[in-house]
Amino acid sequence: PSSEFPDRKRGRDVDEISESLDCSHLAKKPSIQSLSLEAIFHPKFENENREVKSIRNEMKEKVNAGKGYLEVSLKHSGNLLLWSGSQRYYSKNSTSNAFTYVGELLLRQHFFRSWYGSKSGEEMYQECSAFVEMNRLTLAFEAVTSILGHHGDLPKKDFLILTAVADRSVSRFYTTVEVLEFAQRYRLPHNDLWIHTTSKAVDQLFTLYDSIRETGYAGETINALISVCDSHVISMYPHVDFQGEILEGIVIRYVSFNGIEMAECLKRLDLLAGASTAILKEVPVNLPMAFELIQHGDKNQFLEKKVISTNVREVYNSCIDKEGYKNLTTRVGDVINDILKATDSLRRTTIRDPVKDWDIPQLANSILNLNSSVDEETKRIATLITKLDKMNASVRYPVFQENNGRIYCLLHVLHDKTFLKYQKKMTSHDMNLYRGFCFELNTEKAAKSSVKAPSQINFDNGKENLMLKMKLLPYMVRTFCCRNGIRTISLNGPAAFENYTLKMMNSWQISTEAKSKWQDFFRSWGHYVHHVLSGADKSYIDTSLPPLTDQFYLNHLEYFIQLFKKNQLKFDNISQSHDSSNYKAMILVVAREKEMALQVAKFFSDKFGGVYLHDDISKITEAHLINMRVPQGGGLIAYASMEEGPKTIKRHVKIYGKYMSIILFGCDNESIESSSENRDRLLGVANSWRKLRVGLIKEVSIASLYDNSNTIREYQPTEEMDDALMSLSTFSSNVPALDNREGVLVFFPCIPGSGKSTLSSPASRYTMKEMLSALENVAAKQSSNERKLIVLVGDEVKQKYWPEVKKMRAENPSSLFVADKNTPPMAWGALSDSAGHGIIVPVLYKKTLSTTRIIGSVSSAGEIDCKKCHYYPFSLHYLALCLARVLTRLAGTHIGGLDNSLKNAAMIMINFFGFYQNVSAEDFFDTIKLKIERSGGNCCSRAVKVDFFTPDALPDLPSELSDALVDALRLRHGYNAEKKDITKFSCTPNVEAMEQRLRTVVSKYESFILGLTADEGKSRKDFMNEVVDIVRFSNVSNVNLTKAKEEQRTIKIVSVDVSLSTLQNVIKDAARRQPEIDKALRSLGVDVDAPWGKKCNNGVVETPHVTMAHCSDVSQTEMKTRFAPGLGNTIGISSTSLFWNEDIAALAVEVASISREGSEIPPSANNFVHITLWKGETIQASSSNKLPSLVEEGRASKIDFPGPLSFQGKLTFWHN
């Protein structure tokens, strides 16, 4: 009951609840008195923004002013490992796992190798460990291995690189000089470091990066860095020798001199460089790894140290040999942990406490309430936690207990955006939000004398901390495209993967040349992955490779690259299908033997332009049968032996049989009866194939294709085979092609009673259909396909809803599909699968998103836990109005039965509101977008926003009403924690009591609540307009691209093309009226009266055009969306002046905004809209863009025409 909780401020925001609750009735846990940092790594920092280079420019300015220098290190590809001494190892968000066990083993092996022949590696390891513990340091390493997941490349060796040292006692990180000195003291494996102290060196550095960004590999990058730096400190583990040629990128950091003379600083760095070189001589690159040294050395001396003699790759392979790839990383970690246990007599063990046992934000609040008795470090950690809690940041706090009694918590940030949001809210005394953030929960207060005063602490969060992470394209292609795109391929096929990669390349601002270079690679990789995942002909696949997942993708990528480079890809027919096959149906070849069926299937595939082959009819899915009919689908050919029978394909016949044809090859009764074995059974199987209700069945004899030796001869036309080919061709031509334009899926992330069915009511549907029809008439007069409007009401669907959406969307991919169903967070990941390659658009109600924070939870037994905090993205006003709408529905008026006659209607509403638990209003849209895109979907960059409340300011809810809602949510939270269904009255009486309380209070304030409702007509109108507006901008029909291969090629530019003869006639007439035009052109070697074209070789551009959009500036989707409606239209052009110099000449032009056919033509993206008329032999046509500025500088000339020169052109797509 509400009275069990303290009074709180009344109002719309339920941050509203008291900060001090009496929790004395709760079970006692260890009394936590203080907090202390246990392990930290640098805060998150971003890649360089290619458009806004403010950090780069600030770095340059500071170096130019002599305030500091730049240091450059390599970004290795691996996993974060933190070490705070002894056995206290942590991975990014956990501990005591495969990553920490392998990391510990590799570090101990490193000490053995680096001190081999001079000192005991184990003694140096222990000495270093003691120093780290005593001085409260945390060492951060990049663990580069081939066994803990795949990154950019499989490393040549397994090793660690020291990347940072944190001094937790003063909350700072060592400077690079300090890191190097510390690393050299213990021969730890530090990174390569290049120093740039002069303006020239800095300019050369950034010029170097810009030149190698799209092509750089490790060897050439490192050599280039050496050539432009002032000093180089070499690593014990050179990247090329240990990791390989695939380099993730470089990290550039500005370092202030901080009052130290430049000469002194450089001298210190030179000494460190010399010391590193000396260490590398003692521990040369070719020195074997630790386990190899034991194998080659005195075998008896080190056998007791199994931790040193273990080769982690052998462990990895033995785990695969024993149990395959399932849970492989965990099993490898268990084996390594056993090895560590066998080596050490005492091992740290950890147990993760249940989440419900700890409320870290509440604990932090309690500690801060102690005020003056709290030490500075505790206060700063607690302040950070409470600040994250008030931000509603997506953070988890797993708590672990060690066998020695230590308790510690890992702060796990779920979304990277949290780092940036926190940094914006930081004050000068706040603690940084570190990565790999671990803090200890102490049962004793910290000694005040051991904590430095705030003024002495280096908070390391000022603007002097300038860092840039600058990645290289070869790495990004592998990880972000090839690896991360596997899910997109598996869900939506190779074409969607090509769109995904282009979107990535555009977001990285990659040049047109680089995008063109990678296009074929991506297309081939997409088909390779699709081929492997679909279970196609096994002869095309290296079966020794592991399963194709993001964890093991590199094995497949290396195999694929070998085939790609040698042009030996065996699945060429798949990619050809998208370029040359117009087939739109399925051919199923059935023969007595499967090998014969394969040969015949290949024959038909070749005849119809390379149709996609599928070897396992049991694995044919609805997606295959739908995709074969899209314009670029290219059909489908499957093959089977007759004895397999039609059972597995029969399940698809009811819906897709009209698109299937069956070729029974050598399966006639006469051939079967001539067989002496199983004659009757085979006759029965053959008849079962004939009885399938498909669009076409043809029986073809073996003699139509095979000679007497049972090998396919070079095709000689026979009447029987010609008839089969003609029948198949006619059958395909009669199959309607799917309209594969990019459709739109609209969904409602809301709760019942929001009014979604009102928005998509029959009246709204009729109006939207008319709006869509009008849109189609304007955008694509040439198209015979009208975009469909489909509204699927969730309460009317008896099957599972989202699979049904997927089926309907697949049959109508270009449709505007309104999913009239409440869609809570657990369903957001399924949207991408249902939408296919369509755009997914959420509907958000205005003024409903306001984070509601509740403190307290009530169990099913009525027990109160006042420490639990839970929050929701919607306001209590929204919940109250939705609840009132449901409870005022008359019995039998709601198709789903959710009305006032349903005895638990109110608790169903509370339960639905609870589905959104721990999603904040601030992160609501970002969370939707992230979940959709992570599952391979395409989420619209904006939501449809509709009025829900009146435009007036919302009044406070009556306290009786808000109390009831809060208490209901507390009760729901408690039931949910126990995994009990609060909508079932049979659980406990308090649920029924809460139901009645809600009904009573809503009835009491019914008129007040319903009076908050927005104008229904306006909401419907806004909904329709916004949805149709999104369709307008997603209209990518490309109706004039009649050939399927055109749709698959990347658009280079959108242009208005002008015929050369038209342009010459226009210039010739202008030159007669204005002789200075003729004089200017003749100075460039152009005779206006002589023929223009290839043969004259006078520098005149042979394909004159106005560039409207270029792929380096505008995405493929945007080019199609904006310009496809006018494709092929005739457009008026007028020229006002001629610009020229000795290198290039161009006409300044204006392009009409409406085509002759009536289509709206967007303006050109160029600042200088022009047609390049002439250029020098070595000059790029793009140089025309500089002509206006060159005229202003006096380096080019301009002639204005007395009147505009008018002519016409055609809107065209140019493809790479």
Side-chain angles (χ1 to χ4, degrees):
S2 180
S3 59
E4 294 287 345
F5 293 88
D7 289 337
R8 53 183 174 74
K9 174 185 172 184
R10 313 296 180 190
R12 332 178 10 211
D13 300 322
V14 190
D15 246 327
E16 305 172 348
I17 300 180
S18 174
E19 295 178 356
S20 60
L21 297 175
D22 180 11
C23 301
S24 58
H25 61 286
L26 297 177
K28 295 290 184 182
K29 292 192 195 70
S31 177
I32 304 304
Q33 300 295 316
S34 65
L35 309 174
S36 57
L37 292 174
E38 167 64 8
I40 53 175
F41 184 56
H42 284 296
K44 180 81 175 175
F45 64 101
E46 299 301 317
N47 299 330
E48 184 188 33
N49 187 320
R50 299 291 294 169
E51 292 180 348
V52 184
K53 299 182 179 180
S54 57
I55 297 179
R56 179 191 288 208
N57 293 333
E58 189 174 353
M59 287 177 169
K60 287 182 176 181
E61 290 172 5
K62 289 180 178 295
V63 174
N64 289 346
K67 296 179 179 179
Y69 62 92
L70 298 189
E71 57 184 34
V72 182
S73 58
L74 301 180
K75 180 72 179 73
H76 289 75
S77 303
N79 305 100
L80 178 64
L81 176 73
L82 302 177
W83 182 43
S84 294
S86 187
Q87 297 171 20
R88 291 153 60 189
Y89 287 87
Y90 304 90
S91 57
K92 185 177 179 181
N93 296 310
S94 191
T95 188
S96 299
N97 55 26
F99 299 93
T100 60
Y101 298 146
V102 171
E104 179 180 352
L105 183 139
L106 291 179
L107 183 59
R108 294 172 75 166
Q109 289 189 349
H110 165 80
F111 270 93
F112 180 88
R113 178 180 182 270
S114 62
W115 293 99
Y116 185 74
S118 57
K119 291 184 180 181
S120 165
E122 183 64 21
E123 288 179 6
M124 293 305 298
Y125 170 77
Q126 296 299 339
E127 181 183 323
C128 180
S129 174
F131 184 88
V132 168
E133 279 196 292
M134 181 177 64
N135 290 280
R136 291 196 66 203
L137 303 181
T138 296
L139 274 55
F141 298 91
E142 194 79 6
V144 183
T145 78
S146 61
I147 66 170
L148 296 176
H150 287 185
H151 298 277
D153 197 7
L154 291 172
K156 294 180 178 180
K157 300 177 182 180
D158 303 298
F159 64 102
L160 304 176
I161 284 288
L162 179 67
T163 55
V165 177
D167 184 343
R168 307 193 307 278
S169 64
V170 290
S171 188
R172 78 175 186 95
F173 288 89
Y174 274 20
T175 66
T176 303
V177 169
E178 290 172 317
V179 171
L180 292 172
E181 289 175 339
F182 177 76
Q184 290 176 1
R185 175 178 176 180
Y186 294 104
R187 293 189 180 176
L188 287 164
H190 62 72
N191 208 335
D192 277 277
L193 186 75
W194 291 269
I195 307 301
H196 299 76
T197 60
T198 64
S199 301
K200 179 181 178 182
V202 170
D203 287 339
Q204 287 178 328
L205 169 63
F206 286 116
T207 300
L208 164 65
Y209 172 72
D210 291 338
S211 67
I212 65 170
R213 176 174 178 256
E214 296 180 348
T215 58
Y217 290 88
E220 61 181 298
T221 301
I222 290 168
N223 289 335
L225 286 170
I226 292 172
S227 69
V228 300
C229 74
D230 296 319
S231 182
H232 175 209
V233 183
I234 194 168
S235 171
M236 291 178 70
Y237 291 151
H239 196 289
V240 173
D241 299 290
F242 283 78
Q243 180 146 20
E245 280 289 351
I246 298 298
L247 173 61
E248 181 171 342
I250 59 176
V251 176
I252 302 177
R253 183 169 181 258
Y254 169 76
V255 182
S256 172
F257 286 123
N258 283 328
I260 302 173
E261 291 294 329
M262 183 189 298
E264 181 185 344
C265 185
L266 293 180
K267 182 179 178 181
R268 195 173 173 189
L269 286 166
D270 285 340
L271 290 173
L272 290 169
S276 287
T277 302
I279 290 173
L280 196 59
K281 288 180 180 179
E282 292 191 41
V283 190
V285 171
N286 60 2
L287 182 69
M289 303 304 281
F291 64 88
E292 296 171 311
L293 287 171
I294 287 182
Q295 292 169 4
H296 299 151
D298 184 350
K299 296 185 179 181
N300 296 320
Q301 184 180 359
F302 305 108
L303 284 179
E304 75 277 13
K305 292 293 184 184
K306 195 173 181 183
V307 70
I308 306 300
S309 62
T310 296
N311 180 350
V312 293
R313 298 195 185 196
E314 289 181 357
V315 172
Y316 178 81
N317 291 330
S318 68
C319 288
I320 294 172
D321 293 340
K322 287 179 182 178
E323 297 182 47
Y325 293 92
K326 187 176 181 180
N327 299 322
L328 179 59
T329 301
T330 301
R331 290 188 285 113
V332 168
D334 291 342
V335 174
I336 299 296
N337 188 29
D338 289 341
I339 292 169
L340 292 168
K341 288 178 181 177
T343 303
D344 299 324
S345 57
L346 294 175
R347 289 293 299 173
R348 175 182 92 149
T349 59
T350 60
I351 299 174
R352 179 169 176 172
D353 283 357
V355 174
K356 63 184 179 64
D357 287 357
W358 293 91
D359 188 332
I360 297 300
Q362 179 63 28
L363 172 64
N365 264 319
S366 301
I367 289 175
L368 288 176
N369 287 336
L370 300 175
N371 295 325
S372 59
S373 62
V374 178
D375 67 278
E376 187 66 27
E377 184 173 357
T378 298
K379 187 183 296 183
R380 294 177 65 225
I381 296 173
T383 301
L384 178 144
I385 294 168
T386 55
K387 183 165 287 191
L388 288 172
D389 191 47
K390 289 177 181 178
M391 288 168 51
N392 300 309
S394 299
V395 178
R396 289 180 185 156
Y397 300 95
V399 175
F400 297 82
Q401 293 202 41
E402 289 184 4
N403 53 343
N404 61 6
R406 289 178 71 242
I407 307 170
Y408 53 93
C409 174
L410 281 150
L411 194 159
H412 181 187
V413 177
L414 300 180
H415 297 324
D416 282 350
K417 285 187 177 180
T418 302
F419 289 101
L420 183 60
K421 289 180 180 178
Y422 178 83
Q423 287 166 7
K424 288 180 178 179
K425 293 179 180 292
M426 281 180 67
T427 66
S428 60
H429 283 268
D430 281 341
M431 179 173 283
N432 256 311
L433 179 56
Y434 301 108
R435 283 180 292 165
F437 198 133
C438 180
F439 55 93
E440 187 171 355
L441 311 179
N442 303 304
T443 55
E444 296 180 358
K445 290 186 178 181
K448 286 220 157 194
S449 58
S450 66
V451 181
K452 296 190 178 183
S455 61
Q456 295 175 279
I457 297 177
N458 179 353
F459 290 94
D460 198 27
N461 62 357
K463 287 206 73 179
E464 289 293 291
N465 190 24
L466 299 174
M467 299 178 74
L468 283 175
K469 183 167 54 179
M470 309 178 83
K471 295 194 173 182
L472 298 173
L473 185 59
Y475 168 85
M476 294 193 289
V477 159
R478 286 169 166 248
T479 54
F480 301 118
C481 294
C482 294
R483 182 188 67 187
N484 295 359
I486 291 174
R487 181 173 174 81
T488 298
I489 300 168
S490 68
L491 290 175
N492 300 317
F497 173 69
E498 288 188 60
N499 291 334
Y500 164 80
T501 56
L502 187 60
K503 179 181 176 182
M504 296 299 291
M505 301 283 264
N506 285 334
S507 70
W508 299 330
Q509 296 179 291
I510 300 302
S511 69
T512 305
E513 292 76 16
K515 284 187 282 192
S516 299
K517 169 191 169 185
W518 286 104
Q519 182 183 356
D520 287 341
F521 182 89
F522 288 142
R523 179 178 292 122
S524 297
W525 174 248
H527 287 302
Y528 172 85
V529 172
H530 180 69
H531 192 69
V532 172
L533 297 181
S534 66
D537 187 353
K538 302 297 186 298
S539 64
Y540 296 166
I541 303 167
D542 184 345
T543 55
S544 67
L545 296 176
L548 179 47
T549 66
D550 56 359
Q551 186 179 1
F552 307 114
Y553 88 101
L554 281 171
N555 302 90
H556 283 269
L557 184 63
E558 293 304 323
Y559 170 68
F560 163 80
I561 289 173
Q562 291 176 23
L563 299 178
F564 182 80
K565 285 182 176 179
K566 298 176 182 177
N567 199 24
Q568 292 179 346
L569 294 172
K570 298 180 180 180
F571 50 89
D572 287 345
N573 59 301
I574 295 178
S575 56
Q576 288 169 4
S577 70
H578 293 270
D579 290 331
S580 55
S581 177
N582 294 316
Y583 208 76
K584 300 193 298 290
M586 174 180 173
I587 302 172
L588 175 56
V589 178
V590 180
R592 296 278 299 280
E593 296 176 1
K594 192 162 186 177
E595 181 59 33
M596 181 178 286
L598 170 60
Q599 297 300 321
V600 178
K602 287 182 175 179
F603 170 80
F604 284 127
S605 176
D606 291 340
K607 287 298 174 184
F608 290 112
V611 182
Y612 171 43
L613 287 176
H614 200 301
D615 77 324
D616 190 342
I617 58 174
S618 68
K619 293 184 178 179
I620 290 176
T621 65
E622 282 189 324
H624 289 110
L625 298 169
I626 292 165
N627 290 337
M628 72 183 182
R629 292 172 50 218
V630 301
Q632 72 271 32
L636 173 68
I637 295 181
Y639 56 95
S641 69
M642 185 180 71
E643 292 191 55
E644 290 180 58
K647 184 177 180 180
T648 55
I649 200 68
K650 197 173 183 178
R651 68 184 189 276
H652 296 304
V653 168
K654 184 176 180 180
I655 298 176
Y656 301 103
K658 56 189 173 183
Y659 310 128
M660 296 180 180
S661 59
I662 296 178
I663 298 295
L664 295 172
F665 190 80
C667 298
D668 56 286
N669 289 347
E670 183 179 346
S671 299
I672 294 172
E673 287 173 352
S674 66
S675 173
S676 59
E677 296 181 5
N678 304 318
R679 182 178 61 184
D680 293 340
R681 186 177 65 82
L682 291 177
L683 286 171
V685 175
N687 281 331
S688 67
W689 283 108
R690 295 187 186 100
K691 289 179 181 178
L692 285 178
R693 295 186 177 182
V694 297
L696 175 70
I697 295 179
K698 292 288 291 183
E699 300 221 23
V700 182
S701 68
I702 293 177
S704 67
L705 201 58
Y706 278 79
D707 57 23
N708 292 333
S709 63
N710 274 1
T711 58
I712 292 183
R713 57 177 173 262
E714 186 172 341
Y715 181 61
Q716 299 293 327
T718 66
E719 185 175 339
E720 184 181 15
M721 185 53 71
D722 279 351
D723 178 61
L725 288 168
M726 180 61 70
S727 297
L728 292 170
S729 179
T730 303
F731 177 69
S732 171
S733 64
N734 290 330
V735 171
L738 284 179
D739 178 3
N740 198 38
R741 292 174 293 170
E742 190 173 54
V744 176
L745 172 62
V746 178
F747 75 101
F748 295 85
C750 60
I751 66 174
S754 298
K756 61 189 183 306
S757 295
T758 301
L759 298 178
S760 57
S761 64
S764 297
R765 298 178 204 180
Y766 178 79
T767 305
M768 277 199 289
K769 282 182 179 179
E770 288 192 326
M771 294 170 74
L772 286 173
S773 180
L775 180 64
E776 293 294 304
N777 289 337
V778 172
K781 288 185 177 180
Q782 307 94 321
S783 175
S784 60
N785 297 319
E786 184 170 315
R787 195 185 292 273
K788 289 185 179 180
L789 169 65
I790 302 173
V791 178
L792 187 63
V793 180
D795 293 319
E796 295 177 350
V797 178
K798 295 181 180 180
Q799 306 93 331
K800 289 185 177 180
Y801 183 81
W802 292 110
E804 192 65 17
V805 173
K806 178 181 179 181
K807 185 184 297 183
M808 296 176 72
R809 277 275 307 134
E811 280 289 323
N812 303 276
S814 68
S815 64
L816 166 55
F817 197 106
V818 179
D820 185 354
K821 181 178 178 63
N822 301 302
T823 311
M826 68 276 283
W828 294 346
L831 291 168
S832 59
D833 195 26
S834 301
H837 72 290
I839 298 173
I840 304 170
V841 186
V843 178
L844 303 182
Y845 292 97
K846 297 176 183 176
K847 294 167 66 174
T848 63
L849 288 171
S850 178
T851 301
T852 296
R853 293 165 50 84
I854 308 287
I855 294 176
S857 181
V858 178
S859 72
S860 60
E863 296 176 350
I864 302 168
D865 184 347
C866 57
K867 291 172 63 177
K868 294 298 180 186
C869 177
H870 38 113
Y871 56 89
Y872 308 86
F874 303 118
S875 67
L876 290 184
H877 287 73
Y878 173 66
L879 174 58
L881 182 48
C882 291
L883 183 58
R885 285 175 171 177
V886 168
L887 294 180
T888 54
R889 290 172 181 165
L890 297 178
T893 58
H894 186 257
I895 191 171
L898 186 57
D899 53 42
N900 63 10
S901 66
L902 191 65
K903 66 178 183 178
N904 58 347
M907 295 313 294
I908 287 175
M909 292 292 295
I910 295 297
N911 197 44
F912 226 106
F913 191 89
F915 289 155
Y916 294 84
Q917 181 180 318
N918 294 341
V919 179
S920 69
E922 295 81 0
D923 292 333
F924 192 71
F925 181 73
D926 286 343
T927 303
I928 290 174
K929 198 169 188 295
L930 183 67
K931 281 202 172 186
I932 290 172
E933 292 180 347
R934 277 185 173 174
S935 58
N938 180 16
C939 186
C940 187
S941 58
R942 65 186 176 107
V944 170
K945 294 185 178 179
V946 181
D947 284 340
F948 188 78
F949 294 114
T950 59
D952 304 324
L954 291 174
D956 289 347
L957 292 180
S959 60
E960 184 181 7
L961 174 60
S962 59
D963 282 347
L965 297 175
V966 169
D967 288 345
L969 289 169
R970 287 170 174 154
L971 189 62
R972 190 265 175 193
H973 183 272
Y975 269 70
N976 188 60
E978 298 173 31
K979 298 186 177 178
K980 291 183 178 179
D981 187 352
I982 198 170
T983 63
K984 294 181 179 178
F985 284 5
S986 58
C987 290
T988 53
N990 58 2
V991 177
E992 189 170 358
M994 184 59 72
E995 174 78 23
Q996 190 56 47
R997 181 183 172 192
L998 288 170
R999 285 175 178 263
T1000 300
V1001 74
V1002 168
S1003 176
K1004 180 178 179 180
Y1005 296 104
E1006 179 183 314
S1007 60
F1008 167 80
I1009 299 170
L1010 295 179
L1012 303 176
T1013 305
D1015 179 76
E1016 194 175 279
K1018 182 178 182 302
S1019 295
R1020 269 204 309 268
K1021 183 178 179 181
D1022 290 346
F1023 172 75
M1024 292 185 293
N1025 286 336
E1026 287 213 38
V1027 168
V1028 173
D1029 191 49
I1030 287 174
V1031 173
R1032 178 182 293 112
F1033 286 101
S1034 68
N1035 191 348
V1036 291
S1037 55
N1038 294 341
V1039 292
N1040 279 43
L1041 301 183
T1042 56
K1043 294 183 179 180
K1045 64 181 181 180
E1046 291 291 323
E1047 295 195 9
Q1048 286 301 300
R1049 290 157 58 194
T1050 304
I1051 300 171
K1052 183 177 181 181
I1053 65 169
V1054 180
S1055 76
V1056 179
D1057 291 353
V1058 180
S1059 75
L1060 188 58
S1061 59
T1062 296
L1063 190 63
Q1064 182 175 9
N1065 290 333
V1066 168
I1067 295 296
K1068 187 186 297 185
D1069 290 343
R1072 286 177 184 149
R1073 295 192 300 270
Q1074 206 169 353
E1076 58 187 305
I1077 297 175
D1078 183 57
K1079 182 178 179 182
L1081 293 176
R1082 286 185 184 278
S1083 71
L1084 302 175
V1086 178
D1087 185 346
V1088 295
D1089 296 313
W1092 288 4
K1094 288 184 178 180
K1095 294 182 180 179
C1096 66
N1097 194 29
N1098 59 358
V1100 172
V1101 174
E1102 297 166 12
T1103 53
H1105 62 276
V1106 184
T1107 298
M1108 305 297 286
H1110 194 284
C1111 66
S1112 61
D1113 302 314
V1114 183
S1115 72
Q1116 295 289 300
T1117 298
E1118 189 176 356
M1119 284 193 280
K1120 292 175 183 177
T1121 299
R1122 293 173 59 198
F1123 293 99
L1127 199 62
N1129 286 8
T1130 300
I1131 301 170
I1133 303 172
S1134 61
S1135 176
T1136 57
S1137 53
L1138 171 68
F1139 289 74
W1140 91 97
N1141 63 14
E1142 66 274 12
D1143 293 327
I1144 200 157
L1147 295 175
V1149 301
E1150 294 178 0
V1151 179
S1153 59
I1154 303 293
S1155 72
R1156 193 172 65 183
E1157 291 81 358
S1159 294
E1160 185 176 339
I1161 306 300
S1164 170
N1166 276 354
N1167 292 326
F1168 176 43
V1169 186
H1170 66 276
I1171 296 175
T1172 301
L1173 180 64
W1174 173 91
K1175 65 183 186 67
E1177 186 175 352
T1178 61
I1179 305 301
Q1180 295 291 323
S1182 58
S1183 301
S1184 294
N1185 289 297
K1186 301 176 183 178
L1187 281 169
S1189 59
L1190 293 175
V1191 168
E1192 291 180 3
E1193 296 169 7
R1195 297 162 57 195
S1197 302
K1198 176 186 176 185
I1199 298 175
D1200 291 322
F1201 305 146
L1205 310 180
S1206 299
F1207 46 100
Q1208 294 178 332
K1210 293 273 188 183
L1211 187 66
T1212 311
F1213 287 169
W1214 288 26
H1215 294 92
N1216 282 319

